[in-house]
């Protein structure tokens, strides 16, 4: 165990050989208007997107995406082709060592931006091959005058306190999700306010003291978000869980709620980032818990012994440091911890995670504006509801080619 934690620090270099400079482009931040008919770029610095104009129109089009190859080695537990820290809760995933090569994360996206005077209508569609090597939709939405409708990131997400990692998605305990939704966003200087109604994506466990449950969706989730520049953001969610009385005679409901906060503090070439999430019925917001397995790993609610529906209390906290060694090399190191309050005396919950801590350290080289390679070590410390403790670790090497 000590050797694994030592490896977390060993991957961070004390010095690096001089590296070639990254080609610099003028960048238009994702979602911002471009100048119709003129060359421009859309996206973060490591994912530039060239745009072109459809002749005779005020519409700019951008195609993009990337091919990503991941080489994974699991020392203790098979964490899946996309790192799932809660997979370590299942003894069926135990291994003496396993190598996996995958390109599932590769994706393709298509963006349009059409100008109407000073106003802009935008559309975005993106897909990838996670989780089953089939083409799966990630995003499909349209925006106009602050109004958004479609499928995309939950309004509860903040994108401020998450470190840059090779693992797909954020560390566990960072709010995630891409529900169908309607949203309105208002910007005033450095302040951004947004409100959304989102398709509820939750799981009620069948392993609770009260037995199996027939889920029923009555109301959408309500999410509110405030962000100040790229430094601080806070969001809130209110959601309802209910059972389906027409099928089983069950007629129960309960309310879930939560608060999420993130911040980033630049300190020269190093940035300190933090994340906090606390509330009840937030299991569905844990990053990259496969939806089909959520009720058996991080349920939002369960039936208690009296037949009442109970939301599961959940708390998480995360902290990370990002450091840019020079124009081409960067690293991040961080840890996050999640605690979910499942009943200790429920037989069906004994093997589920009570607490899980996920740590990582990486070294990433932006070879040029279109290619990135890197290596990352990931460590999971997990305690089951029955008190058993397990640890799992993974070494990941990745090569990513943007287009």
């Amino acid at each position: 165990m000590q050797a694994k934690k030592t490896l977390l620090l060993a991957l961070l270099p004390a010095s690096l050989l001089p590296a070639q400079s990254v080609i610099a482009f003028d960048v238009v931040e994702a979602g911002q208007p471009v100048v119709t008919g003129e060359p421009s770029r859309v996206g973060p610095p490591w994912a530039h997107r060239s745009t072109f104009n459809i002749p005779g129109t005020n519409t700019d089009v951008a195609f993009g995406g990337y091919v990503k190859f991941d080489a994974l080695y699991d020392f203790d537990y098979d964490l899946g082709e996309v790192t799932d820290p809660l997979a370590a809760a299942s003894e069926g995933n135990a291994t003496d060592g396993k190598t996996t090569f995958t390109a599932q994360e590769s994706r393709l996206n298509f963006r349009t931006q059409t100008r109407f005077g000073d106003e802009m209508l935008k559309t975005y569609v993106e897909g990838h091959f996670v989780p089953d090597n089939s083409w799966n939709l990630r995003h499909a939405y349209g925006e106009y005058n602050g109004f958004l409708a479609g499928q995309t990131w939950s309004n509860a997400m903040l994108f401020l306190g998450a470190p840059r990692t090779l693992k797909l998605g954020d560390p566990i305990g960072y709010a995630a999700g891409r529900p169908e939704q309607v949203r309105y966003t208002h910007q005033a200087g450095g302040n951004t306010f947004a409100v959304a109604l989102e398709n509820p994506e939750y799981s009620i466990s069948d392993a609770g003291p009260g037995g199996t449950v027939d889920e029923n969706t009555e109301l959408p989730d309500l999410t509110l978000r405030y962000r100040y520049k790229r430094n601080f953001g806070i969001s809130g969610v209110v959601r309802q869980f209910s059972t389906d009385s027409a099928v089983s005679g069950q007629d129960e409901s309960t309310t879930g709620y939560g608060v999420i906060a993130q911040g980033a503090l630049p300190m020269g070439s190093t940035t300190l980032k933090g994340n906090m999430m606390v509330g009840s019925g937030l299991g569905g917001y844990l990053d990259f818990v496969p939806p089909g397995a959520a009720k058996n790993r991080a349920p939002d609610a369960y039936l208690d012994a009296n037949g009442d529906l109970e939301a599961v209390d959940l708390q998480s906290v995360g902290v990370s440091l990002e450091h840019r060694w020079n124009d081409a090399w960067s690293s991040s190191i961080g840890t996050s911890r999640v605690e979910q309050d499942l009943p200790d005396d429920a037989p069906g919950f004994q093997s589920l995670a009570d607490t899980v801590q996920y740590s990582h350290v990486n070294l990433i080289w932006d070879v040029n504006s279109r290619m990135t390679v890197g290596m990352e070590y990931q460590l999971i410390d997990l305690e089951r509801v029955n008190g058993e403790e397990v640890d799992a670790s993974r070494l990941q090497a990745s090569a990513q080619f943007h287009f």
Side-chain angles (χ1 to χ4, degrees), residues 210-229:
T212 59
V213 180
D214 293 312
E215 297 179 13
N216 182 44
T217 301
E218 291 186 3
L219 297 173
D221 292 352
L222 171 65
T223 59
L224 303 169
R225 174 169 52 89
Y226 165 75
R227 189 185 77 184
Y228 177 70
K229 296 183 177 178

Side-chain angles (χ1 to χ4, degrees), residues 45-382:
W46 54 88
H48 299 294
R49 299 289 181 264
S50 298
T51 64
F52 63 89
N53 176 251
I54 299 177
T57 74
N58 291 327
T59 298
D60 284 346
V61 177
F63 291 98
Y66 59 74
V67 172
K68 185 164 183 270
F69 169 78
D70 295 317
L72 312 168
Y73 184 80
D74 291 305
F75 294 87
D76 314 281
Y77 286 81
D78 181 0
L79 301 177
E81 296 196 17
V82 175
T83 302
D84 174 15
L86 292 180
S90 173
E91 283 299 326
N93 293 323
T95 178
D96 290 330
K98 181 180 179 181
T99 297
T100 303
F101 288 174
T102 179
Q104 276 195 13
E105 192 186 326
S106 301
R107 66 183 61 165
L108 175 68
N109 55 55
F110 173 84
R111 180 195 307 272
T112 70
Q113 298 187 108
T114 303
R115 185 180 294 281
F116 295 93
D118 294 331
E119 298 175 345
M120 189 72 67
L121 185 150
K122 311 169 190 176
T123 66
Y124 187 74
V125 177
E126 182 178 70
H128 63 174
F129 300 91
V130 175
D132 54 6
N133 274 324
S134 299
W135 180 253
N136 291 292
L137 186 67
R138 283 173 54 84
H139 301 275
Y141 64 89
E143 290 181 277
Y144 182 70
N145 275 350
F147 173 75
L148 179 150
Q151 176 180 318
T152 189
W153 296 118
S154 169
N155 186 49
M157 298 177 66
L158 294 163
F159 299 102
L160 301 175
R164 186 183 181 190
T165 64
L166 298 179
K167 168 191 176 295
L168 176 62
D170 300 330
I172 192 169
Y174 290 59
R178 293 186 297 270
E180 297 83 357
Q181 61 187 276
V182 290
R183 181 195 303 178
Y184 180 74
T185 303
H186 175 72
Q187 279 193 286
N191 303 287
T192 302
F193 305 88
V195 58
L197 293 176
E198 303 182 356
N199 186 36
E201 298 178 348
Y202 62 80
S203 295
I204 302 178
S205 177
D206 291 331
T212 59
V213 180
D214 293 312
E215 297 179 13
N216 182 44
T217 301
E218 291 186 3
L219 297 173
D221 292 352
L222 171 65
T223 59
L224 303 169
R225 174 169 52 89
Y226 165 75
R227 189 185 77 184
Y228 177 70
K229 296 183 177 178
R230 301 294 301 174
N231 301 112
F232 174 75
I234 188 168
S235 59
V237 57
V238 178
R239 51 201 329 225
Q240 184 193 56
F241 313 119
S242 59
T243 57
D244 192 347
S245 60
V247 176
S248 63
Q250 297 171 343
D251 190 9
E252 298 293 329
S253 64
T254 190
T255 300
Y257 58 89
V259 176
I260 300 117
Q262 288 189 1
L265 178 62
M267 300 178 293
S269 58
T270 302
T271 302
L272 173 65
K273 296 184 174 183
N275 172 79
M276 181 274 293
M277 180 165 64
V278 62
S280 187
L282 298 178
Y285 282 89
L286 288 182
D287 195 1
F288 289 97
V289 178
K295 67 171 57 183
N296 298 316
R297 295 184 181 179
D300 294 286
Y302 64 91
L303 278 182
D304 66 15
N306 298 320
D308 297 324
L309 200 57
E310 293 287 340
V312 179
D313 291 341
L314 184 146
Q315 307 86 38
S316 73
V317 62
V319 63
S320 64
L321 282 172
E322 280 190 9
H323 181 74
R324 172 122 337 240
W325 303 98
N326 54 36
D327 287 343
W329 292 85
S330 66
S331 292
S332 73
I333 183 170
T335 189
S336 61
R337 181 178 176 86
V338 177
E339 299 178 0
Q340 54 179 354
D341 188 17
L342 295 168
D344 297 337
D345 56 352
F349 287 150
Q350 295 305 300
S351 63
L352 271 63
D354 185 50
T355 64
V356 58
Q357 185 158 355
Y358 172 86
S359 305
H360 80 279
V361 62
N362 61 38
L363 177 61
I364 299 175
W365 178 23
D366 293 310
V367 181
N368 53 47
S369 65
R370 291 285 195 253
M371 180 180 177
T372 298
V373 297
M375 182 168 288
E376 182 169 282
Y377 179 70
Q378 304 159 6
L379 175 66
I380 293 97
D381 294 309
L382 184 145

